Amino acid sequence: MQTGNSSIDELLDGGYEYGFVTDVVSDTLPPGLDESTIKAISAKKNEPEWLLQWRIQAYRHWLTMDEPEWAHIAKPKIDFQSISYYSAPSSMKEAPESLDDIDPEIRKTYDKLGIPIEEQMALAGIAVDAVFDSVSVATTFREKLAESGVIFTSISEAVHDHPDLVKDYLGSVVSYRDNFFACLNAAVFSDGTFVYIPKGVKCPMELSTYFRINERNTGQFERTLIIAEEESQVSYLEGCTAPMRDENQLHAAVVELVAKTDATIKYSTVQNWYPGDDQGKGGIYNFVTKRGDCRGDRSRISWTQVETGSAITWKYPSCILRGDNSVGEFYSVAVARGMQQADTGTKMIHMGKNTSSTIVSKGISAGQGQNTYRGLVRIAQAAENARNHTQCDSLLIGDKCGAHTFPYIENRNPTAKLEHEATTSKIGEDQLFYCRQRGLSEEDAVSMIVNGFCKEVFNELPMEFAVEAQKLLSVTLEGAVG
Amino acid sequence: MLTINDLKVSVEDKDILKGLSLQVNAGEVHAIMGPNGSGKSTLSHVLAGKDGYQVTSGSITYNGSDLLDLETEQRAHQGIFLAMQYPVELPGVNNMVFLRESYNAIRKSRGEDELDSPAFIKLIREKADQVKLPGKLLKRSVNSGFSGGEKKRNEILQMALLEPSLAILDETDSGLDIDALRIVADGVNQLRSEDRAMIVVTHYQRLLDYIKPDVVHVLADGKIIKTGDFSLARELEDKGYGWLLDGEAA
């Protein structure tokens, strides 16, 4: 629990402590997108022909699509020709031989962010893949993980080192035809993380990827692929930050998870992209497609997300419950403050028998923030005895913000059991008065009430991250009342 | 300890307190009785510093300084405690954590060291036993799903824990059965001391049978219209407020 000495002025002033810029020379493609851009990206990564063809197909399909407008967000149309689709520190041209060869400026960046990319930091027990703009700059503990057969590497390297796996699974959960942003990602994705957990292996460490956007006018289009073979288990987490800039930057990622029979994947996100300033200037447009495929019986995929950053968040981490008795979970805390807009939720697609899903969504709106929960629970005809429990709570701080919920249910099987609970509450004057009468400052009172509100979700995060998330939330919301 | 002088307070331009004066010394227990709408809760809230009340004139001096200058939490730091008539629920906020944060915030404001968790747990268990609050309520969210009596006992627990120098009990007895009433009264009596003052705001005389206040005031239409000793409470129980109010009118 945060007991706060933090100066309120400081927090109101900036509030975003990751907004610095790293001074590195970058090799950046000029803005603009056509087939030559895609060929250039593919060539830089020395990709096999099949992958280039896949990208080109995606690009041609993308040209036929329109930017979706159904979300509860307002923004100008994105000019896709003004974005640079590839930027990498020049020092990364020749991949560093070892972690010691990484550009000291980049190393400093991760030090500043508190991300351990040196294995001496092993105490944390977390393996990290660090993605800087369009490339992975470091992946730690690869050898150690390889001892148990776990593959943890950047997706660019996986394309070369494990081409069959990548070929089999890439796009198998999120097809490039899926949606506008996923299609764009398929055409231009630059890097991301690849994880493969062999049969029967419980991954011995937490795996994580840390995404950093640094260069101006670039978009980040990463692609993550996690495959958990039968009876395997893995817990993966991702974090993201970006410099404070006046213009909006696009982040359009795709994450695909595959869980085979009896496998478990736990995927946690602490998203803290730059949210823009209080007038709504700048900030990241975060348009992300995340989907998990519970392919095998009794498989389990659990999404936990804490979304505090980005000017716009558009993401719906979903589960396809294909295997019988498979389980999907979605735990979410989304914050919209200042001028932030979040439209987030999940889709639980029940196809197998006795499948069950749980959705717990906690939306917090402050300032002029607009927070939308959008969820779909679909029970297919063959999905006997499917169960879903949805709990969708909104907390309002102040009187200029908004909370919206769009829960969709499509049920084609009469044996389904579906429950939906929703609440909207306001941090009451009475609650604040009560806490302050007991000696707590208003900021601490808000932080305590908000953390209480989010508890069910924080309980799902790995321990270190639960603490991080609590801290992040209290910093994010300081100054929100009053 | 506390001097209220000709206090006038309004809420949304409606006058509630209309020239209230009160002197409370250390070691004394004062009861404030009065009919509904007389301004009892307003007085409690103004003393604790709740927003939404306009003090239009008069003064409140607490231990020699101007109480109205202090923020709500500063008043708490200086030993003012209000047991609320309607304790709020804080879903998801663990009661034990809340109590520890509160206790340590007040210690810190006094330049004292914060108490670590093991020491605090020991302390809070003692206090909970003292006010007969079941230990399981410490593990639940603050007041969430507590019965009326449990909420009030949780208030008394906080009072016992924070050891305030001025405790105000705002209709703590309302809605309590006789057993709960006794527990509340015991809690108050245990805290009676030379250097502590208490203001017990109540509608009924029942609680006062157990607490036996030193001074009894009758608050009606925003003013204290009569002050006496404990026998005044008895008299009110027999005769109601009507005779006093009539006298006031005449």
Side-chain angles (χ1 to χ4, degrees):
Chain A
M1 188 59 56
Q2 196 250 8
T3 48
N5 283 320
S6 26
S7 124
I8 293 168
D9 288 347
E10 183 194 334
L11 289 159
L12 287 177
D13 232 17
Y16 190 74
E17 56 179 303
Y18 311 102
F20 62 90
V21 177
T22 306
D23 190 14
V24 287
V25 179
S26 284
D27 165 23
T28 304
L29 282 182
L33 178 59
D34 56 23
E35 290 193 12
S36 73
T37 320
I38 291 158
K39 284 177 186 153
I41 294 171
S42 190
K44 276 183 191 298
K45 302 165 88 64
N46 197 17
E47 283 176 355
E49 184 61 21
W50 67 265
L51 188 51
L52 174 63
Q53 287 314 316
W54 189 71
R55 288 175 179 276
I56 298 281
Q57 274 173 29
Y59 175 68
R60 290 181 184 160
H61 186 70
W62 182 73
L63 291 175
T64 69
M65 300 175 95
D66 291 318
E67 203 181 325
E69 281 173 353
W70 43 260
H72 193 82
I73 51 181
K75 63 158 183 45
K77 272 217 174 283
I78 299 170
D79 177 3
F80 291 94
Q81 296 304 329
S82 71
I83 297 171
S84 165
Y85 288 83
Y86 185 87
S87 179
S90 303
S91 60
M92 291 301 297
K93 225 170 219 165
E94 298 293 319
E97 292 277 303
S98 76
L99 296 172
D100 296 333
D101 298 333
I102 295 166
D103 182 338
E105 281 300 316
I106 295 175
R107 186 185 290 274
K108 255 193 260 167
T109 302
Y110 288 93
D111 280 351
K112 237 166 151 175
L113 296 168
I115 308 300
I117 57 169
E118 303 188 27
E119 297 191 352
Q120 294 91 299
M121 309 283 285
L123 273 182
I126 297 169
V128 180
D129 182 23
V131 176
F132 190 88
D133 288 331
S134 305
V135 288
S136 166
V137 294
T139 311
T140 63
F141 293 109
R142 298 155 70 133
E143 288 80 15
K144 185 170 188 294
L145 287 162
E147 286 167 19
S148 13
V150 172
I151 303 170
F152 178 55
T153 180
S154 74
I155 200 151
S156 306
E157 287 167 282
V159 167
H160 293 286
D161 300 346
H162 310 282
D164 293 343
L165 283 174
V166 176
K167 210 170 170 177
D168 280 354
Y169 290 97
L170 187 74
S172 74
V173 184
V174 179
S175 134
Y176 66 73
R177 292 182 194 84
D178 191 83
N179 71 70
F180 183 82
F181 290 103
C183 190
L184 175 64
N185 175 286
V188 302
F189 80 91
S190 42
D191 221 333
T193 305
F194 178 81
V195 176
Y196 178 82
I197 315 289
K199 185 174 175 181
V201 171
K202 179 171 189 257
C203 186
M205 301 178 85
E206 296 271 352
L207 305 182
S208 71
T209 304
Y210 196 87
F211 296 101
R212 175 77 178 166
I213 296 179
N214 186 61
E215 196 58 29
R216 188 180 292 274
N217 291 327
T218 58
Q220 192 176 55
F221 305 90
E222 88 269 6
R223 191 136 191 140
T224 297
L225 178 55
I226 299 178
I227 302 150
E229 288 288 359
E230 292 175 16
E231 295 158 42
S232 68
Q233 281 181 41
V234 62
S235 168
Y236 173 92
L237 23 103
E238 60 173 1
C240 359
T241 59
M244 289 159 78
R245 295 194 190 280
D246 286 347
E247 75 270 18
N248 297 108
Q249 281 180 287
L250 179 63
H251 172 256
V254 171
V255 174
E256 298 177 278
L257 312 181
V258 177
K260 304 276 188 75
T261 304
D262 290 303
T264 297
I265 302 176
K266 187 171 170 57
Y267 192 107
S268 313
T269 303
V270 177
Q271 185 264 108
N272 190 23
W273 294 118
Y274 177 53
D277 70 9
D278 283 348
Q279 273 71 52
K281 198 163 192 200
I284 302 291
Y285 287 167
N286 190 33
F287 289 82
V288 171
T289 305
K290 290 182 168 174
R291 194 170 301 152
D293 189 355
C294 285
R295 270 183 210 177
D297 293 350
R298 295 172 303 281
S299 57
R300 183 184 197 105
I301 290 180
S302 176
W303 299 99
T304 304
Q305 60 173 21
V306 178
E307 304 281 321
T308 62
S310 298
I312 292 175
T313 295
W314 179 100
K315 67 180 272 204
Y316 315 91
S318 304
C319 297
I320 301 167
L321 302 170
R322 212 183 290 274
D324 290 348
N325 298 84
S326 59
V327 177
E329 294 171 320
F330 174 75
Y331 298 95
S332 169
V333 167
V335 180
R337 62 165 297 208
M339 300 291 283
Q340 278 176 285
Q341 306 174 70
D343 191 310
T344 183
T346 185
K347 287 190 271 188
M348 293 291 173
I349 312 296
H350 292 252
M351 298 169 76
K353 296 185 181 66
N354 305 313
T355 47
S356 72
S357 60
T358 302
I359 299 172
V360 177
S361 162
K362 304 277 181 176
I364 300 165
S365 315
Q368 298 182 60
Q370 295 295 326
N371 210 327
T372 300
Y373 167 79
R374 187 182 302 277
L376 170 66
V377 177
R378 178 185 290 156
I379 314 290
Q381 210 163 14
E384 291 289 315
N385 297 315
R387 279 179 319 198
N388 166 265
H389 180 83
T390 299
Q391 188 191 331
C392 187
D393 299 324
S394 306
L395 185 69
L396 302 170
I397 304 174
D399 51 13
K400 294 191 183 68
C401 54
H404 318 271
T405 48
F406 300 97
Y408 300 92
I409 295 174
E410 295 172 12
N411 183 13
R412 299 205 174 81
N413 186 308
T415 61
K417 284 201 185 99
L418 307 172
E419 298 165 346
H420 184 96
E421 284 177 52
T423 65
T424 301
S425 54
K426 222 180 143 177
I427 287 197
E429 292 295 316
D430 285 346
Q431 285 178 323
L432 287 179
F433 172 63
Y434 191 74
C435 295
R436 292 176 69 198
Q437 211 299 306
R438 299 302 185 250
L440 301 171
S441 70
E442 182 161 282
E443 300 289 349
D444 287 347
V446 170
S447 147
M448 187 180 260
I449 293 166
V450 167
N451 278 310
F453 175 75
C454 299
K455 200 170 178 181
E456 286 162 273
V457 176
F458 288 169
N459 284 346
E460 296 297 322
L461 286 171
M463 189 133 82
E464 305 84 350
F465 287 77
V467 175
E468 265 312 290
Q470 279 196 14
K471 268 199 238 154
L472 185 59
L473 210 60
S474 45
V475 171
T476 304
L477 287 169
E478 273 182 72
V481 176
Chain B
M1 177 178 284
L2 179 75
T3 307
I4 304 176
N5 189 25
D6 196 28
L7 185 70
K8 292 182 182 164
V9 175
S10 62
V11 177
E12 289 168 359
D13 293 331
K14 189 171 184 286
D15 296 333
I16 308 289
L17 297 182
K18 304 170 180 174
L20 181 143
S21 298
L22 182 67
Q23 169 75 36
V24 179
N25 300 314
E28 293 176 352
V29 175
H30 288 235
I32 296 186
M33 303 184 70
N36 286 330
S38 57
K40 301 192 298 291
S41 281
T42 298
L43 175 63
S44 308
H45 289 160
V46 168
L47 287 172
K50 191 174 185 181
D51 289 338
Y53 297 90
Q54 290 84 46
V55 175
T56 51
S57 72
S59 66
I60 306 177
T61 312
Y62 172 69
N63 285 337
S65 57
D66 184 354
L67 188 70
L68 296 173
D69 274 352
L70 301 178
E71 295 291 335
T72 306
E73 57 268 34
Q74 292 172 317
R75 298 182 198 196
H77 298 161
Q78 301 209 3
I80 290 185
F81 178 89
L82 171 63
M84 313 239 175
Q85 184 177 3
Y86 304 109
V88 300
E89 300 187 2
L90 302 175
V93 179
N94 178 276
N95 202 17
M96 183 97 86
V97 171
F98 177 73
L99 294 166
R100 193 183 70 218
E101 292 292 317
S102 162
Y103 184 74
N104 280 332
I106 289 176
R107 280 181 74 103
K108 224 163 102 181
S109 73
R110 294 178 183 153
E112 293 164 5
D113 286 341
E114 294 185 21
L115 213 57
D116 62 19
S117 281
F120 180 79
I121 290 170
K122 188 167 173 289
L123 174 70
I124 196 68
R125 291 211 191 277
E126 279 170 28
K127 299 283 183 184
D129 282 348
Q130 202 179 311
V131 302
K132 300 191 173 60
L133 186 91
K136 67 176 183 348
L137 295 186
L138 292 174
K139 293 178 187 156
R140 300 237 304 255
S141 295
V142 180
N143 294 328
S144 287
F146 285 26
S147 70
E150 287 168 343
K151 284 183 183 172
K152 296 299 174 72
R153 254 182 283 168
N154 201 28
E155 294 293 287
I156 298 301
L157 170 66
Q158 293 176 46
M159 180 170 78
L161 172 70
L162 300 177
E163 301 187 323
S165 45
L166 173 64
I168 305 151
L169 288 84
D170 187 8
E171 308 224 14
T172 302
D173 52 339
S174 64
L176 293 189
D177 61 28
I178 197 77
D179 292 332
L181 198 68
R182 217 171 251 161
I183 289 169
V184 168
D186 285 347
V188 171
N189 288 331
Q190 282 168 15
L191 276 179
R192 275 182 128 142
S193 84
E194 287 291 302
D195 46 13
R196 180 171 294 137
M198 296 196 215
I199 297 175
V200 181
V201 175
T202 180
H203 192 67
Y204 302 106
Q205 171 258 351
R206 291 198 302 177
L207 178 65
L208 304 183
D209 282 344
Y210 298 106
I211 292 183
K212 303 229 166 33
D214 302 302
V215 188
V216 176
H217 307 275
V218 178
L219 177 63
D221 194 27
K223 280 185 201 167
I224 286 176
I225 56 167
K226 193 163 178 68
T227 296
D229 61 12
F230 180 55
S231 64
L232 176 59
R234 286 265 155 84
E235 209 176 340
L236 288 169
E237 181 71 4
D238 292 341
K239 301 208 254 178
Y241 293 106
W243 60 284
L244 282 170
L245 299 179
D246 292 346
E248 177 79 347

